[in-house]
mmCIF file of all heavy atoms in Angstrom:
data_model
loop_
_atom_site.group_PDB
_atom_site.id
_atom_site.type_symbol
_atom_site.label_atom_id
_atom_site.label_comp_id
_atom_site.label_asym_id
_atom_site.label_seq_id
_atom_site.Cartn_x
_atom_site.Cartn_y
_atom_site.Cartn_z
ATOM 1 N N SER Y 894 3.835 32.103 37.341
ATOM 2 C CA SER Y 894 4.451 31.103 38.217
ATOM 3 C C SER Y 894 3.676 29.793 38.104
ATOM 4 O O SER Y 894 2.466 29.740 38.352
ATOM 5 C CB SER Y 894 4.454 31.587 39.666
ATOM 6 O OG SER Y 894 5.203 32.773 39.803
ATOM 7 N N ALA Y 895 4.371 28.745 37.717
ATOM 8 C CA ALA Y 895 3.760 27.428 37.472
ATOM 9 C C ALA Y 895 4.867 26.486 37.030
ATOM 10 O O ALA Y 895 6.026 26.895 36.910
ATOM 11 C CB ALA Y 895 2.691 27.510 36.389
ATOM 12 N N THR Y 896 4.492 25.245 36.772
ATOM 13 C CA THR Y 896 5.433 24.305 36.149
ATOM 14 C C THR Y 896 5.087 24.196 34.673
ATOM 15 O O THR Y 896 3.912 24.064 34.316
ATOM 16 C CB THR Y 896 5.364 22.927 36.823
ATOM 17 O OG1 THR Y 896 5.776 23.051 38.182
ATOM 18 C CG2 THR Y 896 6.273 21.928 36.117
ATOM 19 N N TYR Y 897 6.105 24.269 33.840
ATOM 20 C CA TYR Y 897 5.913 24.201 32.394
ATOM 21 C C TYR Y 897 6.492 22.891 31.883
ATOM 22 O O TYR Y 897 7.648 22.557 32.166
ATOM 23 C CB TYR Y 897 6.586 25.395 31.712
ATOM 24 C CG TYR Y 897 5.897 26.692 32.058
ATOM 25 C CD1 TYR Y 897 6.188 27.362 33.245
ATOM 26 C CD2 TYR Y 897 4.908 27.224 31.224
ATOM 27 C CE1 TYR Y 897 5.525 28.535 33.591
ATOM 28 C CE2 TYR Y 897 4.248 28.392 31.556
ATOM 29 C CZ TYR Y 897 4.566 29.034 32.742
ATOM 30 O OH TYR Y 897 3.894 30.187 33.078
ATOM 31 N N LEU Y 898 5.662 22.163 31.160
ATOM 32 C CA LEU Y 898 6.081 20.854 30.653
ATOM 33 C C LEU Y 898 6.080 20.852 29.137
ATOM 34 O O LEU Y 898 5.192 21.405 28.493
ATOM 35 C CB LEU Y 898 5.141 19.748 31.150
ATOM 36 C CG LEU Y 898 5.150 19.526 32.653
ATOM 37 C CD1 LEU Y 898 3.809 19.848 33.262
ATOM 38 C CD2 LEU Y 898 5.501 18.083 32.962
ATOM 39 N N CYS Y 899 7.070 20.222 28.602
ATOM 40 C CA CYS Y 899 7.211 20.028 27.171
ATOM 41 C C CYS Y 899 6.867 18.566 26.877
ATOM 42 O O CYS Y 899 7.198 17.673 27.678
ATOM 43 C CB CYS Y 899 8.657 20.365 26.807
ATOM 44 S SG CYS Y 899 9.306 19.646 25.335
ATOM 45 N N ALA Y 900 6.192 18.310 25.749
ATOM 46 C CA ALA Y 900 5.859 16.930 25.384
ATOM 47 C C ALA Y 900 5.938 16.770 23.877
ATOM 48 O O ALA Y 900 5.500 17.646 23.127
ATOM 49 C CB ALA Y 900 4.451 16.573 25.869
ATOM 50 N N VAL Y 901 6.493 15.655 23.437
ATOM 51 C CA VAL Y 901 6.531 15.365 22.001
ATOM 52 C C VAL Y 901 5.522 14.258 21.704
ATOM 53 O O VAL Y 901 5.293 13.365 22.516
ATOM 54 C CB VAL Y 901 7.939 14.956 21.529
ATOM 55 C CG1 VAL Y 901 8.897 16.119 21.722
ATOM 56 C CG2 VAL Y 901 8.444 13.722 22.211
ATOM 57 N N SER Y 902 4.926 14.382 20.534
ATOM 58 C CA SER Y 902 3.869 13.461 20.129
ATOM 59 C C SER Y 902 4.316 12.673 18.912
ATOM 60 O O SER Y 902 4.952 13.229 18.018
ATOM 61 C CB SER Y 902 2.618 14.272 19.795
ATOM 62 O OG SER Y 902 1.658 13.486 19.141
ATOM 63 N N TYR Y 903 3.983 11.402 18.884
ATOM 64 C CA TYR Y 903 4.207 10.640 17.666
ATOM 65 C C TYR Y 903 3.066 9.647 17.504
ATOM 66 O O TYR Y 903 2.463 9.204 18.478
ATOM 67 C CB TYR Y 903 5.579 9.966 17.642
ATOM 68 C CG TYR Y 903 5.913 9.141 18.849
ATOM 69 C CD1 TYR Y 903 5.736 7.771 18.860
ATOM 70 C CD2 TYR Y 903 6.451 9.747 19.979
ATOM 71 C CE1 TYR Y 903 6.064 7.019 19.972
ATOM 72 C CE2 TYR Y 903 6.777 8.999 21.093
ATOM 73 C CZ TYR Y 903 6.584 7.642 21.078
ATOM 74 O OH TYR Y 903 6.903 6.902 22.179
ATOM 75 N N VAL Y 904 2.776 9.325 16.265
ATOM 76 C CA VAL Y 904 1.654 8.455 15.953
ATOM 77 C C VAL Y 904 2.076 7.010 16.169
ATOM 78 O O VAL Y 904 3.105 6.565 15.663
ATOM 79 C CB VAL Y 904 1.184 8.661 14.504
ATOM 80 C CG1 VAL Y 904 0.042 7.713 14.176
ATOM 81 C CG2 VAL Y 904 0.749 10.102 14.290
ATOM 82 N N ILE Y 905 1.277 6.293 16.943
ATOM 83 C CA ILE Y 905 1.624 4.913 17.242
ATOM 84 C C ILE Y 905 0.706 3.932 16.528
ATOM 85 O O ILE Y 905 1.018 2.774 16.373
ATOM 86 C CB ILE Y 905 1.577 4.649 18.751
ATOM 87 C CG1 ILE Y 905 0.316 5.262 19.353
ATOM 88 C CG2 ILE Y 905 2.793 5.205 19.435
ATOM 89 C CD1 ILE Y 905 0.118 4.915 20.785
#
Side-chain angles (χ1 to χ4, degrees):
Chain Y
S894 299
T896 296
Y897 293 83
L898 295 116
C899 156
V901 296
S902 168
Y903 52 97
V904 178
I905 45 173

